[in-house]
Amino acid sequence: MALKRFQVTIGAAATQVTATRTPCRHAIIEADDGNSNAAFVGTSDVTSANGIRLNNSATAPGRMEIGPFSGDAPFNLSEVYVAGTLNETVNVLAVTH
């Protein structure tokens, strides 16, 4: 088990948290304090209309958790995507398998 940190810069379309297959037991995803707008979490087709909203942390904590799960790693972090304002960031802390 290891702890990994990612800072994801939001692109023009849905942006993959990591392109590398990363089996995880637990992940915390948070909008960066410096963001001006909300970010959204979902699958490869995530948008502001269908994603889980993360307000920018300066306004109100915008955080979500996936897990924790026990046993073998039940989800792959590379299947998680973010969307929002171009060049804003999302921070991810993950417990990997």
Side-chain angles (χ1 to χ4, degrees):
M1 225 176 338
L3 193 61
K4 290 196 175 189
R5 180 190 164 288
F6 302 87
Q7 186 169 61
V8 183
T9 301
I10 298 170
T15 304
Q16 200 172 17
V17 168
T18 178
T20 304
R21 186 181 189 308
T22 307
C24 285
R25 293 179 181 221
H26 190 191
I28 300 169
I29 304 168
E30 182 176 77
D32 192 76
D33 288 348
N35 289 356
S36 298
N37 300 294
F40 301 87
V41 179
T43 57
S44 61
D45 63 346
V46 65
T47 67
S48 60
N50 64 15
I52 295 173
R53 181 185 181 95
L54 304 178
N55 290 325
N56 59 316
S57 298
T59 322
R63 177 183 298 158
M64 72 168 287
E65 293 188 44
I66 302 173
F69 301 102
S70 61
D72 287 335
F75 81 99
N76 181 0
L77 194 58
S78 67
E79 295 176 0
V80 178
Y81 288 74
V82 295
T85 302
L86 183 66
N87 293 325
E88 290 195 336
T89 56
V90 173
N91 300 302
V92 179
L93 188 64
V95 178
T96 61
H97 182 60

